[in-house]
Amino acid sequence: MEAVHHHWMEETFLLAEEALKLGEVPVGCAFVYKDQIIATGKNEVNETKNACRHAEIVAIDKVLNWCDERGDKSEDVFRESALYVTVEPCIMCAGALRQIGVSLVVYGCKNDRFGGCGSIISVHQAELPTLGQSFHCIGGVMTDRAVQLLKDFYKGENPNCPESKRKIKSE
């Protein structure tokens, strides 16, 4: 099973690397349904100037479009899909993933600041029936690679950061 997770995670890292090149926080993800990728996402927050355009949300929108084009019920597709993502989903994304009914999330490294799958709060399994069914998480798949991408991003400065929030770097 671990080899399967590594296979799909490789795909997410390509997306995270694309995001990094575009000046986005390097997070990539893929929805896998019936052993094929049906939708991918990478962070688009800086590009769109929309703080909600996390990789998972972008991919959810693509799955909804995929289902519409095929005439499939999105509830069924999400329930039978797994999401692979380089970084633990944040609280917002974990809530969205729970609402759409995904059953499995596999992620690379923990999100120690905003993690919604156990690092900060366990949205994925909290006793919140109005949020929908809980989902299973497998973390720590290719952690070192995910952490290195984040380090590469945070070495630089976010060009979209407001001037008042920029870090002063020593020369």
Side-chain angles (χ1 to χ4, degrees):
M1 186 57 104
E2 190 171 312
V4 170
H5 295 324
H6 279 258
H7 170 75
W8 296 121
M9 286 296 285
E10 285 291 340
E11 298 294 325
T12 69
F13 281 108
L14 297 174
L15 295 157
E17 289 163 2
E18 280 180 37
L20 179 63
K21 288 177 189 166
L22 295 170
E24 299 280 355
V25 175
V27 178
C29 70
F31 274 100
V32 176
Y33 174 69
K34 295 187 177 179
D35 208 32
Q36 70 173 354
I37 292 176
I38 60 168
T40 61
K42 62 184 181 299
N43 276 1
E44 296 178 355
V45 171
N46 293 332
E47 175 190 343
T48 61
K49 308 281 190 263
N50 180 339
C52 295
R53 298 305 291 164
H54 291 194
E56 299 93 331
I57 303 301
V58 171
I60 288 168
D61 286 346
K62 289 179 180 179
V63 171
L64 292 171
N65 289 336
W66 186 86
C67 289
D68 283 347
E69 289 169 7
R70 296 172 47 96
D72 289 343
K73 293 175 80 174
S74 61
E75 305 84 39
D76 297 337
V77 171
F78 282 123
R79 186 176 50 252
E80 295 175 34
S81 295
L83 176 72
Y84 289 84
V85 60
T86 56
V87 178
E88 173 188 0
C90 71
I91 294 164
M92 173 187 74
C93 290
L97 291 166
R98 189 157 166 184
Q99 286 208 313
I100 62 168
V102 75
S103 58
L104 174 64
V105 172
V106 178
Y107 65 86
C109 66
K110 290 183 177 187
N111 183 341
D112 291 330
R113 293 186 68 198
F114 307 109
C117 295
S119 291
I120 301 301
I121 188 170
S122 297
V123 173
H124 70 297
Q125 62 184 11
E127 196 60 43
L128 300 166
T130 57
L131 197 54
Q133 285 287 87
S134 61
F135 59 88
H136 182 66
C137 281
I138 299 172
V141 179
M142 302 173 75
T143 299
D144 293 344
R145 188 168 172 189
V147 168
Q148 187 57 56
L149 277 173
L150 292 171
K151 284 181 179 179
D152 290 347
F153 175 78
Y154 287 110
K155 270 187 223 172
E157 185 174 273
N158 183 344
N160 298 298
C161 181
E163 193 65 39
S164 64
K165 301 286 184 190
R166 292 184 188 257
K167 295 178 190 171
I168 299 172
K169 301 206 181 205
S170 57
E171 309 246 344

